[in-house]
């Protein structure tokens, strides 16, 4: 039977979708197949946005229609028949899952006072323990609930659960008063008396961004259409509303950070003043402007707006000021697909405030022997978070870098420095609805750092005749500036390449960082996350046609990289023949490289020459190379040249659905990693985590070597 958990609440708007996302994310890193089931959907004719959000998670592979039980209509007309259908449909989904999250109903306008009792009855019939979500806020506008309020709600709700014989595994108080988390947890736990010690209570603080509507949602609710500005900024959260139905000089002092500003469509002076105030940087940054009243903008005003080149979203609707404001105040922000900041915020809040290990223990979840791509990525973030290294991102002008940085900061994966003009970067981040408050933003033309870096670079490159004047110009290049930060210990590693070529990213590292002792070349690997394990492929990105000596270096470096990421290295030196079956220059190169690896590192398990199928498939290995410790079990695959390696990794990526993480550069004294110019935000997040892990591993190795030297 799969692990089951039923997440329900005692009322609507408790934020249990955010809790469900946190539980789903936690389970997905322990078991291979996670499912989601919605016993009672909002409607059976329209798609449920919460269910769509959860089904879009990388760990879930289920069809939407299979994951819906019944609609409210059947629950109200024949609750027993509805329950029977729910149980039957759940059983069909459960057969496909190792763990399944069951998300209770939403207390819509057709809900009833007995809705919690019915959810409890479903949980009992599905044999699922309940995680109870309590809302930390009263009705909108009434502020946070007190600890005693929440204790009383817990008493009533848990009595309902007991009456239906539903088991309670834990309580999460969502949107709790941030200043009273401990008090709230203690008060709710006291609702159980002596048994409270066995029912954990966790409180997640209120976060204004998580429940604020986006500009796009407000345009939809008010029937407004975009007339100017950047559509990418419609995802920014609107934290409040400003009604600008007054003179320009009275509107400006009333502007608020993150506000949606409602301006009568015939008040061009107020519109332009708000735009200029937003653009000036001396007034609060507003989220957008809605022009109400149905007025067309005069052509001369349209020309003026175009001339300002503002990215601020400006939309127009046909409603009056009152109706526009009413619809805005009635619009709730939703955690749904595409809301990256909300998604990251929900996960960060869950991770910081809920004891995930305790929850897994209570659910009796045993870790899987399989390592899926999602499990591996989660492991990268967890390891990086535990080390908290400092990574520099030189490409502050790229939105993907800013989005990745916001995710990394929210999830506390690393300390970050972003290079670029601080005012421009912060303005763009704010416009995108991103929080970069924890980032260091450094201008590569900073006079003090420029002088320091120029002096050091000139000293490093004195043998090339580099003058101080030349060095002063060179170090303002972001790749050189970031590399100098790593070289001088101002950062632990660098990630670049979203806007620059590989050569531009790594050339400064060759000149300044240089290779580790005993390593002659810088090479790369891809971490290939297959459906059930992770392999290491090298070199697939740097050295076109390595010599035997370079191939041996690549193999040894790749084995060390594998160890850094928890992969036991069993090296296969690939060729078109296995063992002594073939001859020729290419085979002899691999044979020589294999002998060099064995001579230099007798502690490593290495086999070669060997064909890919003999290295990867135990059945083929038994026929071609019986008795080998590596054949059929290889984890590190070393390709004889870049042509073979690059094509193979891409073929496996496409045909086997593998997640290729990298390239991960290896052999440098300090970690510098290159991104593809087509990198996605998640690729950047993973690469930063990898760089942080490399830095921590290098530091641990250096410390161990120093200690050995001291005691010998």
């Amino acid at each position: 039977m799969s692990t089951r958990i039923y997440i329900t609440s005692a009322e609507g708007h408790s934020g249990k979708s955010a809790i469900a996302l946190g539980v789903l994310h936690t389970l997905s890193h322990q078991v291979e197949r996670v499912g989601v089931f919605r016993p009672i959907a909002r409607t059976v004719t329209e798609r449920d946005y919460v269910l769509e959000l959860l089904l879009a998670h990388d760990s879930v592979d289920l069809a939407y229609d299979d994951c819906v039980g019944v609609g409210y209509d059947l629950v109200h007309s024949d609750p027993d028949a509805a329950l029977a259908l729910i149980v039957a449909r759940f059983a069909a989904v459960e057969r496909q899952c190792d763990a399944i999250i069951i998300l209770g109903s939403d207390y819509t306008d057709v809900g009833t006072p007995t809705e919690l009792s019915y959810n409890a009855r479903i949980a009992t019939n599905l044999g699922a323990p309940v995680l109870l979500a309590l809302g930390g806020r009263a009705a909108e506008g009434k502020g946070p609930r007190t600890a005693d309020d929440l204790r009383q709600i817990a008493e009533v709700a848990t009595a309902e659960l007991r009456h239906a014989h539903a088991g309670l595994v834990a309580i999460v108080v969502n949107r709790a008063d941030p200043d009273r988390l401990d008090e709230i947890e203690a008060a709710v736990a006291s609702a159980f008396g002596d048994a409270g010690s066995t029912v954990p209570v966790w409180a997640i603080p209120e976060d204004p961004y998580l429940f604020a509507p986006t500009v796009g949602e407000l345009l939809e609710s008010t029937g407004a259409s975009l007339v100017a500005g950047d559509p990418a900024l419609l995802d920014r959260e609107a934290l409040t509303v400003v009604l600008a139905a007054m003179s320009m000089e009275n509107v400006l002092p009333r502007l608020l950070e993150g506000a949606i500003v409602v301006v009568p469509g015939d008040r061009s002076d107020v519109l332009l003043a708000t735009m200029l105030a937003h653009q000036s940087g001396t007034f609060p940054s507003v989220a957008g402007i809605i022009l109400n009243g149905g007025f067309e903008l005069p052509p001369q005003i349209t020309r003026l707006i175009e001339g300002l080149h503002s990215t601020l979203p400006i939309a127009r609707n046909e409603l009056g000021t009152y109706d526009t404001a009413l619809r805005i105040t009635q619009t709730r922000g939703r955690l749904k697909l595409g809301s990256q900041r909300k998604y990251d915020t929900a996960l960060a809040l869950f991770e910081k405030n809920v004891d995930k290990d305790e929850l897994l223990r209570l659910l009796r979840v045993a870790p899987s022997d399989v390592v899926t791509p999602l499990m591996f990525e989660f492991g990268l973030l967890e390891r990086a978070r535990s080390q908290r290294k400092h990574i520099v991102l030189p490409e502050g002008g790229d939105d993907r870098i800013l989005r990745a940085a916001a995710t990394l900061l929210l999830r506390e994966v690393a300390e970050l420095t972003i290079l670029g003009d601080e005012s421009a970067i912060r303005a763009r981040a704010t416009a995108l609805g991103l929080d970069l408050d924890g980032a260091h933003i450094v201008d590569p033309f900073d006079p003090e750092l420029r002088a320091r870096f120029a002096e050091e670079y000139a000293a490093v490159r004195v043998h090339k005749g580099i003058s101080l004047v030349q060095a002063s110009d060179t170090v303002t290049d972001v790749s050189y500036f970031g590399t100098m930060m790593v070289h001088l210990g101002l950062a632990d590693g660098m990630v670049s390449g979203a806007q620059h070529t590989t050569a531009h990213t790594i050339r400064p590292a060759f000149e300044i960082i240089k290779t580790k002792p005993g390593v002659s070349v810088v090479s790369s690997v891809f971490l290939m996350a297959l459906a059930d394990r992770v392999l290491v492929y090298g070199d697939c990105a740097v050295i076109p046609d390595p010599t035997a000596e370079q191939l041996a270096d690549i193999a040894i470096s790749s084995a060390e990289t594998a160890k850094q990421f928890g992969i036991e290295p069993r090296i296969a030196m690939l060729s078109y023949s296995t063992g002594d079956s073939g001859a020729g220059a290419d085979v002899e190169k691999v044979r020589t490289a294999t002998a060099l690896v064995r001579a230099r590192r007798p502690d490593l398990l290495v086999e070669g020459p060997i064909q890919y199928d003999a290295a990867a498939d135990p059945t083929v290995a038994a026929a071609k190379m019986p008795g080998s410790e590596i054949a059929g079990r290889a984890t590190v695959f070393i390709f004889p040249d870049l042509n073979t390696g690059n094509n193979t990794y891409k073929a496996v990526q496409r045909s086997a659905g593998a997640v290729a993480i990298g390239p991960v550069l290896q052999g440098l004294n300090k970690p510098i990693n290159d991104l593809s110019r087509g990198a996605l935000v998640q690729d950047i997040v993973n690469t930063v985590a990898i760089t942080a892990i490399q830095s921590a591993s290098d530091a641990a190795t250096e410390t161990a070597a120093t200690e050995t030297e001291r005691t010998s």
Side-chain angles (χ1 to χ4, degrees), residues 444-488:
F445 290 89
D446 176 275
E448 184 179 337
L449 289 174
R450 182 181 185 182
R452 179 183 174 186
F453 292 175
E455 186 176 343
E456 176 67 15
Y457 182 67
V460 169
R461 302 292 286 172
V462 66
H463 63 290
K464 293 292 186 179
I466 300 295
S467 69
L468 188 60
V469 172
Q470 290 173 307
S472 183
D473 287 338
T474 300
V475 298
T476 58
D477 179 284
V478 291
S479 290
Y480 278 91
F481 195 94
T483 303
M484 290 302 300
M485 287 187 67
V486 176
H487 174 62
L488 293 173

Side-chain angles (χ1 to χ4, degrees), residues 26-27 276 342 393 416 576 643 685:
T26 299
L27 288 172
L276 290 171
K342 284 184 168 66
L393 303 172
L416 299 179
Y576 59 76
N643 181 52
V685 170

